[in-house]
Amino acid sequence: MAARIVQKILYQEVADRLRGMIQAGELRAGEWIDEVSLTASLGISRTPLREALKVLVAEGLLRIEPRRGCFVNELSGRDLENIFPLMAMLEGRCAFEAALKVTDADLRRLEPLHHDLRRYAEQGSIDEYYAANALIHVAIQDLADNRWLSGLIDNLRQVLSLSRHRSLSYPGRIDESCAEHLAIFAALKARDPEGAEAVTRKHLMRQLDALRALARRDEPAAEPSAFHAVGTAETHHEHR
């Protein structure tokens, strides 16, 4: 019995390490998982690694291809179109609940995070901006103090980590993102739940807009994908 408990803890630790490697870009989307190399670098046997891989496959971070092995998953355009509206709804609700519960002490803790965010945006430091941005999203989620909502967001956020900060590479997006975060912070300061929710939803959907634009830019001669078609239809609908 004791051996099973130790083994379970080990594979969970390995799963956490692999998640971190994916989020840091050390394991990139589409990359083949080299089990021999990983067991050597992590100092573990094949058994906890394979158990950890099963966990990440279930979470959608990895995929198994018959006779080829395990790969870091890649999000399709359709995946992004399906996930971002859900994230916008869920994180919008987080901001709504956070605005109802935020205290002056909470706002003082958030202030330096937003100063850092603005500084990184001005410097064009995408990696640092991405990290500060993530801290703010988690902080607002913590302020909402809704474990059911947090569980849903955490699951989707892990999957979205596959695309990392690609939307921030779109020209002008980092400045827009910063302005949106400052607007969310202003709504929290004003204890305006509806405003915080609306700006947060816009913030998430603008990320999707940037990814759509990058897809169009990167595949100018390709036939429109489902990603492009849905994006175009939704953009047309928004501006009618």
Side-chain angles (χ1 to χ4, degrees):
M1 179 68 72
R4 290 196 195 116
I5 292 173
V6 172
Q7 187 72 8
K8 180 179 180 183
I9 291 172
L10 179 57
Y11 86 72
Q12 288 176 334
E13 290 178 353
V14 174
D16 288 342
R17 180 68 180 276
L18 293 176
R19 285 190 204 97
M21 292 173 72
I22 291 170
Q23 290 167 4
E26 295 173 39
L27 292 174
R28 299 182 179 279
E31 184 175 340
W32 174 65
I33 300 297
D34 185 343
E35 294 186 23
V36 174
S37 175
L38 278 175
T39 54
S41 63
L42 298 176
I44 57 173
S45 69
R46 280 283 185 93
T47 299
L49 176 62
R50 287 180 172 172
E51 290 300 313
L53 295 179
K54 289 177 185 176
V55 172
L56 270 62
V57 167
E59 292 176 355
L61 292 176
L62 302 177
R63 70 177 187 276
I64 294 175
E65 296 187 8
R67 297 181 297 280
R68 294 192 65 207
C70 194
F71 294 80
V72 180
N73 221 342
E74 297 171 279
L75 292 179
S76 68
R78 186 174 296 279
D79 290 330
L80 295 171
E81 292 287 350
N82 288 335
I83 293 171
F84 267 99
L86 288 175
M87 282 295 282
M89 178 179 67
L90 294 169
E91 292 216 49
R93 181 64 192 182
C94 259
F96 181 97
E97 295 190 15
L100 293 174
K101 301 170 184 175
V102 69
T103 66
D104 289 341
D106 295 326
L107 292 171
R108 285 193 293 272
R109 284 191 291 270
L110 283 172
E111 192 79 49
L113 293 178
H114 287 82
H115 282 312
D116 288 343
L117 194 78
R118 184 171 359 204
R119 177 161 51 89
Y120 295 139
E122 290 170 353
Q123 295 171 351
S125 304
I126 290 179
D127 287 340
E128 289 81 0
Y129 182 93
Y130 177 76
N133 169 78
L135 288 175
I136 290 172
H137 278 269
V138 171
I140 293 173
Q141 185 177 331
D142 289 343
L143 290 178
D145 192 26
N146 182 328
R147 68 187 180 96
W148 304 105
L149 190 54
S150 285
L152 294 169
I153 290 172
D154 287 343
N155 288 340
L156 289 177
R157 187 175 287 143
Q158 282 182 8
V159 175
L160 282 180
S161 69
L162 293 167
S163 67
R164 297 191 74 240
H165 46 48
R166 187 164 181 265
S167 66
L168 294 173
S169 68
Y170 188 71
R173 177 58 198 152
I174 193 169
D175 293 323
E176 290 176 353
S177 174
C178 186
E180 290 154 13
H181 264 295
L182 294 176
I184 295 167
F185 190 34
L188 292 177
K189 288 179 180 177
R191 272 76 170 185
D192 176 7
E194 288 85 4
E197 180 175 26
V199 180
T200 300
R201 286 193 177 210
K202 175 186 175 184
H203 174 60
L204 270 294
M205 294 308 292
R206 289 293 290 150
Q207 289 182 45
L208 180 58
D209 286 342
L211 290 170
R212 289 169 178 159
L214 285 169
R216 289 193 294 268
R217 185 194 70 183
D218 294 345
E219 300 176 8
E223 292 185 8
S225 65
F227 181 82
H228 301 153
V230 174
T232 303
E234 289 189 4
T235 303
H236 173 70
H237 176 74
E238 288 170 2
H239 292 286
R240 281 192 305 182

